[in-house]
Amino acid sequence: MESEQASDLSAQVQGALTDTGLPLYRGFCAPGDYLIATLNTHAPRVAELSGIDAAAEGGMLSGFVSALLWLIAIALLWWLIRDFYFAVMAYARRLNEGVRRTGRNVATRLGIAFRHFELKKHARLAKAEVSEQGDLNALELQVLRSHSKLPPGHLATVKSLARVLRERPAQVQKALEKLKTLSLVDRDVCAGKGEEGYKLTQFGAVFLSSHMRAQRSQG
């Protein structure tokens, strides 16, 4: 009785495995079976010379051909997935660089606009302070213009300005002190000479540019 039950159970397991495995095997051999059927249908002479007939479907040859085709399909799928992955990563990298570059450009433009606004504000304040203390005289304007002609990094000394403008050093010094009080020029030390010099401030440059535009519009 027990042996009969064991035999029935074994038969059921084998039947289940056969019912499950046979469709899987047929699915696995489908590419080889299709290739063999196509060869027998469209090139029967080649199939006959090769010794391939319909009986080969589902056999060892079909399984070998199917395995080869499945390996090729898997390799092609892997190649497509890899290329798609690299393409997506390259696009994401370019997109990230573009966003960062755009952000830097926007930040730079905003910084320039903010600095320009601040310079104009300080220029208006400097102009108002000049008006409160009286307009700049001819010598003070000449001294201020002389600073705008200096090469970058160079300073104007009292002696050099007095020599160029043909004025007394004391008068040039007085003009420089007033311009420094108005924050139009700043005092510094000449590198290598140890001599004090003066340079045009950003506010002074904006003020001088505004003053020259006003003169041109009046003229």
Side-chain angles (χ1 to χ4, degrees), residues 28-119:
F28 175 79
C29 291
D33 290 345
Y34 176 78
L35 186 61
I36 292 172
T38 302
L39 187 63
N40 283 314
T41 302
H42 298 285
R45 183 63 178 167
V46 176
E48 183 180 354
L49 291 175
S50 302
I52 300 174
D53 54 14
E57 295 181 12
M60 184 178 294
L61 178 61
S62 177
F64 175 77
V65 173
S66 297
L68 184 61
L69 293 176
W70 280 118
L71 287 175
I72 294 174
I74 291 172
L76 289 175
L77 181 61
W78 167 251
W79 179 72
L80 291 174
I81 292 175
R82 186 195 63 178
D83 282 1
F84 178 75
Y85 170 78
F86 285 133
V88 170
M89 291 301 295
Y91 175 77
R93 185 166 54 253
R94 289 194 300 269
L95 180 63
N96 182 50
E97 291 175 355
V99 170
R100 293 176 61 183
R101 184 167 53 251
T102 301
R104 287 195 299 267
N105 290 338
V106 171
T108 301
R109 291 179 181 274
L110 288 176
I112 292 173
F114 180 76
R115 286 195 298 270
H116 181 68
F117 172 78
E118 286 294 318
L119 288 175

Side-chain angles (χ1 to χ4, degrees), residues 95-160:
L95 180 63
N96 182 50
E97 291 175 355
V99 170
R100 293 176 61 183
R101 184 167 53 251
T102 301
R104 287 195 299 267
N105 290 338
V106 171
T108 301
R109 291 179 181 274
L110 288 176
I112 292 173
F114 180 76
R115 286 195 298 270
H116 181 68
F117 172 78
E118 286 294 318
L119 288 175
K120 290 183 68 176
K121 178 181 177 181
H122 285 290
R124 287 195 299 269
L125 293 175
K127 193 171 182 179
E129 191 172 354
V130 169
S131 299
E132 291 176 0
Q133 297 190 17
D135 294 333
L136 298 179
N137 57 37
L139 177 59
E140 292 163 351
L141 286 173
Q142 285 181 344
V143 171
L144 196 60
R145 290 195 189 97
S146 298
H147 281 81
S148 65
K149 301 175 183 178
L150 291 174
H154 285 67
L155 301 177
T157 64
V158 175
K159 292 180 180 179
S160 63

